[in-house]
Amino acid sequence: MSTGPGLESLVNQTISIITNDGRIIVGTLRGFDQATNIILDESHERVYSTREGVQQLALGLYIIRGDNISVVGELDEELDLVNDLSKIKAHPLTPVIH
Amino acid sequence: MLFFSYFKELVGKEVTVELKNDLAIRGTLHSVDQYLNIKLENIKVVDEGKYPHMLSVRNCFIRGSVVRYVQLPPDGVDVDILHDATRREARGS
């Protein structure tokens, strides 16, 4: 029984999670399981809007339930420094419809 | 099992994954698992202007449950092998 692509390689890295309701939550991956439940440390939500730049809301230590997770992205620190979040304007992501 | 085996054959190819929240991500297929969770490398979001939310992300893990479509390269499909595998799978169940 192969376990395939785990999130093993991302533990203790900074990751960006897209949730099913369209939120972006950035933090340090501490743990995960087969259901993709995730433990996220030092997390903050990045709120995108069309009127002002990106807002960051501090959240702390979170457990995010796997069935609410769409994407787990490996945040490249260098790329993140290059992008000026205060200048980015966009519509918030649409929620997942099954 | 059939689709899991099929995706394993496609590792290394460029695919575009369209998600159920309408986001489409193009990237190189790195790996797949029994849930058809997909790991993509060197991603580029289709319509980056509309979706700047992943600008700082290079590699990502996509949960299988949230995939709507996986767009494949036309030469990545061996139709005969797929037909055989489908017949075997149908006979089995």
Side-chain angles (χ1 to χ4, degrees):
Chain A
M1 174 79 0
S2 32
T3 45
L7 294 167
E8 184 89 50
S9 59
L10 298 177
V11 172
N12 293 320
Q13 306 253 51
T14 306
I15 57 169
S16 172
I17 295 182
I18 303 181
T19 59
N20 281 6
D21 55 357
R23 276 189 261 212
I24 312 271
I25 304 188
V26 175
T28 309
L29 177 65
R30 293 295 183 210
F32 65 96
D33 67 4
Q34 280 288 63
T36 333
N37 296 320
I38 286 198
I39 300 179
L40 202 60
D41 204 355
E42 297 151 2
S43 56
H44 53 274
E45 180 182 343
R46 286 189 182 168
V47 185
Y48 290 77
S49 95
T50 46
R51 278 178 292 122
E52 40 178 37
V54 178
Q55 271 188 313
Q56 307 218 70
L57 311 167
L59 302 170
L61 182 60
Y62 259 38
I63 293 180
I64 304 179
R65 203 178 143 88
D67 50 14
N68 194 250
I69 290 174
S70 301
V71 177
V72 178
E74 183 179 351
L75 206 69
D76 190 317
E77 307 279 7
E78 297 162 6
L79 285 178
D80 207 32
L81 290 172
V82 166
N83 299 316
D84 184 359
L85 289 177
S86 61
K87 298 267 170 37
I88 300 178
K89 294 194 174 65
H91 283 285
L93 289 172
T94 49
V96 165
I97 306 171
H98 288 284
Chain B
M1 263 315 283
L2 188 156
F3 284 95
F4 178 31
S5 309
Y6 178 62
F7 279 128
K8 277 198 281 190
E9 294 299 306
L10 290 175
V11 167
K13 298 254 168 51
E14 192 175 76
V15 297
T16 302
V17 182
E18 184 178 319
L19 307 177
K20 291 176 180 173
N21 60 4
D22 296 337
L23 185 61
I25 305 174
R26 188 172 62 245
T28 309
L29 184 63
H30 172 270
S31 49
V32 69
D33 69 8
Q34 52 177 320
Y35 307 109
L36 303 187
N37 294 329
I38 290 171
K39 243 191 180 177
L40 292 181
E41 290 195 324
N42 291 318
I43 64 163
K44 230 358 69 296
V45 173
V46 173
D47 202 352
E48 213 164 46
K50 188 172 177 194
Y51 300 110
H53 312 78
M54 299 196 56
L55 278 176
S56 315
V57 175
R58 204 163 256 147
N59 308 322
C60 70
F61 168 98
I62 301 171
R63 205 163 186 270
S65 59
V66 84
V67 173
R68 185 184 291 144
Y69 303 124
V70 179
Q71 292 160 17
L72 311 164
D75 53 338
V77 185
D78 188 327
V79 184
D80 297 319
I81 294 188
L82 265 182
H83 277 167
D84 286 338
T86 309
R87 258 177 252 120
R88 262 179 275 127
E89 187 91 6
R91 230 178 287 134
S93 61

